[in-house]
């Protein structure tokens, strides 16, 4: 076997054994590294969970029982992706310790409603308190902007990895408001646009510079009767925004639509676009145009649903990528 071929084969074998490889597998290694860091950080490698006699899995089952009014073994197993046999052994142990009671489900006698007893609630209380205390200590030294950045990053991970399921759907927040911009909002919008488009699409700092130019022009040349910005806010945090500006006497332009990953699925993008359309009609415009890229599927879906249609496409190299720009138009 030629020396170069043998070396290449050996490198491939080492990569297979170690779990490392070139290309996309660098993402696998990065995720594994983060997993090792986080499990160590929150103490999951300790023999006991949060200084109690329970394992991590037992603690999670207790959490489900404590936070759901009516739980069944099937519902808990689905929420935690647990093997039915493993979960059955945990629940049997809880029952022997008199931490839970079982009553037949009224709609299905084959199922049992699981409820924490007074002893079960007493056993769970230290877990809840110590968990909150542990997290509180971890973020105690972080200033407010860093805390928000941390939570945003966690929500992004959850969103991208499909943190859905029955329980997540029940807990999904729905309330948000649209409001005019306040001092400080414009800088935040530029920051979030730059950060999100880098994280999700790989657009470099030149995209952030473009956002800054658009926002600066809006602020410096605002025609309040014919131009508008809407901020979507939820729980006192910005979760999206959009601009409508004057392109020509009878033409408005929709710009910089974005929605935070943590707030996607609530209809915010559609609502922001609908506000632009309503205001444009009221201001006397005859059409709205917008410029986007062919790879921005979520935004394009919102535009199409609102009645916009593609009228022009052009390939270009911008923000360190080869892109296909699209011009969309809505006739009012």
């Amino acid at each position: 076997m030629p020396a170069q071929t043998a070396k290449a084969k050996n490198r491939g074998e080492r990569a297979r054994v170690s779990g490392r490889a070139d290309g996309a597998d660098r993402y696998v290694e990065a995720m594994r590294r983060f997993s090792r860091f986080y499990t160590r950080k929150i103490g999951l490698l300790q023999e006991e969970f949060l200084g109690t006699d329970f394992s991590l899995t037992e603690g999670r089952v207790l959490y489900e029982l404590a936070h759901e009014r009516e739980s069944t073994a099937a519902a808990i197993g689905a929420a935690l992706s647990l093997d039915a046999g493993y979960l059955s052994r945990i629940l049997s142990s809880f029952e022997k310790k008199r931490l839970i009671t079982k009553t037949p489900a009224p709609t299905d006698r084959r199922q049992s409603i699981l409820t924490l007893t007074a002893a079960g609630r007493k056993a769970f209380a230290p877990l809840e308190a110590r968990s909150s205390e542990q997290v509180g200590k971890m973020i105690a030294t972080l200033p407010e902007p860093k805390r928000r950045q941390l939570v945003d990053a966690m929500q992004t991970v959850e969103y991208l990895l499909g943190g859905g399921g029955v329980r997540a759907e029940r807990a999904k927040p729905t309330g948000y408001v649209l409001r005019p911009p306040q001092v400080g909002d414009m800088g935040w919008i530029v920051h979030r646009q730059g950060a999100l488009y880098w994280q999700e699409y790989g657009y470099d700092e030149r995209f952030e510079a473009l956002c800054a130019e658009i926002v600066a022009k809006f602020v410096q040349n605002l025609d309040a009767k014919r131009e508008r910005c809407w901020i979507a806010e939820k729980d006192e945090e910005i979760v999206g925004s959009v601009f409508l500006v004057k392109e020509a006497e009878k033409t408005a332009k929709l710009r910089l639509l974005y929605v935070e990953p943590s707030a996607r699925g609530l209809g915010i993008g559609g609502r922001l676009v609908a506000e632009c359309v309503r205001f444009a009609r009221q201001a006397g415009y005859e059409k709205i145009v917008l410029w986007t890229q062919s790879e921005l599927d979520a935004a394009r879906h919102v535009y199409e649903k609102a009645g916009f249609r593609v009228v022009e496409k052009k390939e270009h190299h911008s923000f360190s990528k080869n892109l296909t720009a699209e011009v969309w138009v809505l006739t009012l």
Side-chain angles (χ1 to χ4, degrees), residues 234-254:
K234 183 182 180 303
D235 298 331
E236 299 183 356
E237 293 189 356
I238 296 174
V239 293
S241 63
V242 72
F243 293 79
L244 189 81
V245 300
K246 178 181 176 181
E247 177 77 357
E249 189 60 30
K250 295 296 183 180
T251 303
K253 189 169 188 176
L254 188 153

Side-chain angles (χ1 to χ4, degrees), residues 4 71 81 131 187 199 204 235 288 299 301 311:
Q4 286 185 330
S71 293
S81 299
S131 181
Q199 293 166 7
D204 65 16
D235 298 331
I288 304 175
H301 176 71
V311 296

Side-chain angles (χ1 to χ4, degrees), residues 198 201-208 210 291 293 316-321 323:
W198 165 250
Y201 299 101
Y203 291 12
D204 65 16
E205 63 276 8
R206 285 168 287 191
F207 177 76
E208 187 173 359
L210 173 63
W291 182 77
Q293 310 303 320
H316 65 113
H317 184 85
S318 301
F319 322 128
S320 78
K321 298 189 68 176
L323 300 168

Side-chain angles (χ1 to χ4, degrees), residues 36 39-40 42-48:
R36 293 192 296 270
T39 52
R40 183 179 71 250
I42 63 176
L44 296 188
L45 302 180
Q46 302 299 320
E47 186 174 353
E48 297 175 339

Side-chain angles (χ1 to χ4, degrees), residues 58-251:
E58 289 172 333
R60 284 302 312 276
V61 173
L62 283 173
Y63 181 91
E64 294 294 318
L65 290 166
H67 289 82
E68 294 295 326
R69 288 195 305 171
E70 294 186 351
S71 293
T72 64
I76 293 174
L80 301 182
S81 299
L82 286 179
D83 173 75
Y86 181 30
L87 176 59
S88 178
R89 292 191 293 274
I90 291 175
L91 294 175
S92 294
S93 173
F94 286 174
E95 195 172 14
K96 288 179 182 178
K97 295 176 182 178
R98 298 184 178 179
L99 302 181
I100 62 173
T101 59
K102 294 182 178 180
T103 56
T107 57
D108 185 352
R109 308 299 288 184
R110 295 169 299 177
Q111 293 281 341
S112 295
I113 301 297
L114 307 175
T115 308
L116 284 181
T117 63
R121 290 192 295 272
K122 184 177 180 180
F124 174 70
L127 282 172
E128 184 86 325
R130 291 173 191 176
S131 181
S132 296
E133 181 183 5
Q134 180 191 53
V135 174
K137 287 180 179 179
M138 276 194 287
I139 66 174
T141 59
L142 295 177
E144 179 60 30
K146 293 293 184 181
R147 294 184 187 187
R148 180 180 295 181
Q149 183 180 0
L150 176 64
V151 171
D152 284 344
M154 289 178 169
Q155 290 173 334
T156 299
V157 169
E158 185 177 3
Y159 169 77
L160 292 177
L161 295 184
V166 176
R167 193 171 188 282
E169 280 299 313
R170 287 200 298 269
K172 183 189 290 185
T174 57
Y176 66 90
V177 296
L178 299 188
R179 62 165 176 80
Q182 301 170 354
V183 174
D185 287 348
M186 296 301 173
W188 178 255
I189 290 170
V190 172
H191 160 68
R192 291 305 294 156
Q193 291 259 356
L196 286 174
Y197 275 83
W198 165 250
Q199 293 166 7
E200 298 182 358
Y201 299 101
Y203 291 12
D204 65 16
E205 63 276 8
R206 285 168 287 191
F207 177 76
E208 187 173 359
L210 173 63
C211 294
E213 290 175 9
I214 293 170
V215 168
K217 184 177 179 181
F218 174 83
V219 173
Q220 293 167 358
N221 303 292
L222 176 62
D223 180 350
K225 292 182 179 180
R226 309 202 71 197
E227 298 181 312
R228 191 69 57 89
C229 169
W230 291 266
I231 304 291
E233 185 178 272
K234 183 182 180 303
D235 298 331
E236 299 183 356
E237 293 189 356
I238 296 174
V239 293
S241 63
V242 72
F243 293 79
L244 189 81
V245 300
K246 178 181 176 181
E247 177 77 357
E249 189 60 30
K250 295 296 183 180
T251 303

Side-chain angles (χ1 to χ4, degrees), residues 12-61:
E13 181 65 20
R14 286 197 300 271
R16 184 187 66 79
V17 172
S18 66
R20 297 175 186 169
D22 296 330
D25 283 355
R26 71 180 186 274
Y27 298 117
V28 173
E29 180 56 32
M31 290 184 66
R32 292 181 62 198
R33 183 171 60 249
F34 175 79
S35 180
R36 293 192 296 270
F37 158 77
Y38 193 65
T39 52
R40 183 179 71 250
K41 188 71 174 177
I42 63 176
L44 296 188
L45 302 180
Q46 302 299 320
E47 186 174 353
E48 297 175 339
F49 180 53
L50 294 173
T52 69
D53 294 332
F54 297 107
S55 68
L56 170 62
T57 307
E58 289 172 333
R60 284 302 312 276
V61 173

